[in-house]
């Protein structure tokens, strides 16, 4: 059984979707949830699925080996960033080469980079009157949203879209594809 750790800073709807997918397909399981926010709704989701959760500070992530120790203790095979907004430090990148994946709610390399997350991405896509948006699942490197792409899927941007309506369409793509792509990555190890 492969083991997944999910890092999330917010609602965690993708985290829940991944938890539920692997509950039905026990080749892997979500072993651990990590967050930098004590008020993140993902913590409620972790609790309701009885998955251990850990809240960490900036200092713990960037200036200690605490997170590495935690991941090692849980024998984590793959780290999944699902709405996690901080850069991943070097010690994690080195310990988990090609084993940290992120989902971004747009078609990278467009609409990525520092500060580009959640609603801000959709606002920018609509402001630029793009015809398409979508999702990018990619490996993580030391820069925001620049690691190698693994998978992209597109959706239309409608003329009357709001950031919320576009987010809903993009979320649907995330729910459809993210667990499946994680499954494929784990199968290749
Ligand atoms: C998702 O749409 C994800 O693509 C995005 O945050 C949302 C989290 O939703 N990530 C980024 O913008 C990363 N730059 P969730 O907490 O409901 O899964």
């Amino acid at each position: 059984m492969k083991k997944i750790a999910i890092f999330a800073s917010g609602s965690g709807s993708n985290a829940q979707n991944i938890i539920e997918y692997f509950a039905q397909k026990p080749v892997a399981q979500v072993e651990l949830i990590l967050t930098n926010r004590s008020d993140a709704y993902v913590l409620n989701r972790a609790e309701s699925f009885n998955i251990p959760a850990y809240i960490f500070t900036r200092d713990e992530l960037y200036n200690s080996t605490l997170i590495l120790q935690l991941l090692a203790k849980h024998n984590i095979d793959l780290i999944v960033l699902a709405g996690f907004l901080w850069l991943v430090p070097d010690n994690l990148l080195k310990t988990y080469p090609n084993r940290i994946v992120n989902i971004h709610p747009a078609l990278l390399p467009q609409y990525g980079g520092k500060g580009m997350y959640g609603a801000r991405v959709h606002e920018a896509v609509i402001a630029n009157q793009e015809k398409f948006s979508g999702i990018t699942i990619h490996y993580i490197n030391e820069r925001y949203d620049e690691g190698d792409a693994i998978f992209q899927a597109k959706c239309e941007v409608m003329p009357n879209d709001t950031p919320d309506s576009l987010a809903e369409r993009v979320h649907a793509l995330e729910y459809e594809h993210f667990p499946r792509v994680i499954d494929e990555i784990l199968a290749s190890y």
Side-chain angles (χ1 to χ4, degrees):
M1 172 84 77
K2 302 268 174 55
K3 294 184 174 173
I4 300 167
I6 298 183
F7 283 57
S9 302
S11 160
S13 69
N14 275 286
Q16 177 163 346
N17 185 48
I18 296 162
I19 292 166
E20 287 174 340
Y21 176 97
F22 287 107
Q24 296 300 316
K25 197 175 172 195
V27 291
Q29 70 179 26
V30 177
E31 173 78 13
L32 189 61
I33 302 278
L34 295 107
T35 184
N36 56 310
R37 292 186 61 133
S38 58
D39 60 349
Y41 191 71
V42 71
L43 290 169
N44 300 48
R45 299 188 198 261
E47 197 182 353
S48 70
F49 285 94
N50 262 323
I51 295 174
Y54 185 81
I55 306 162
F56 58 84
T57 63
R58 187 170 277 279
D59 203 45
E60 284 171 338
L61 181 65
Y62 293 110
N63 300 319
S64 84
T65 56
L66 205 118
I67 306 289
L68 274 180
Q69 288 171 35
L70 196 64
L71 295 168
K73 189 176 127 202
H74 284 266
N75 292 314
I76 295 301
D77 296 289
L78 183 72
I79 298 172
V80 171
L81 311 186
F84 181 65
L85 306 180
W86 289 356
L87 270 186
V88 173
D90 258 5
N91 61 3
L92 260 78
L93 289 172
K94 291 211 172 83
T95 310
Y96 294 92
N98 279 342
R99 283 174 183 258
I100 311 179
V101 298
N102 180 45
I103 190 155
H104 187 79
L107 298 169
L108 292 174
Q110 286 186 296
Y111 302 103
K114 190 170 164 54
M116 272 304 212
Y117 57 84
R120 293 193 196 181
V121 175
H122 307 307
E123 281 161 17
V125 167
I126 290 170
N128 285 346
Q129 303 187 318
E130 298 287 355
K131 295 252 178 307
F132 295 98
S133 191
I135 61 168
T136 304
I137 298 167
H138 64 97
Y139 290 111
I140 281 292
N141 68 13
E142 62 284 359
R143 290 178 299 279
Y144 282 105
D145 301 324
E146 287 187 24
D148 291 344
I150 302 165
F151 176 83
Q152 290 191 306
K154 264 188 185 180
C155 63
E156 273 187 275
V157 181
M158 305 301 183
N160 57 351
D161 258 335
T162 62
D164 279 351
S165 65
L166 179 55
E168 210 173 297
R169 207 169 303 119
V170 168
H171 260 128
L173 285 180
E174 296 185 328
Y175 302 152
E176 181 184 350
H177 295 291
F178 202 16
R180 182 184 60 73
V181 171
I182 291 168
D183 196 353
E184 282 173 21
I185 293 168
L186 285 170
S188 75
Y189 289 159

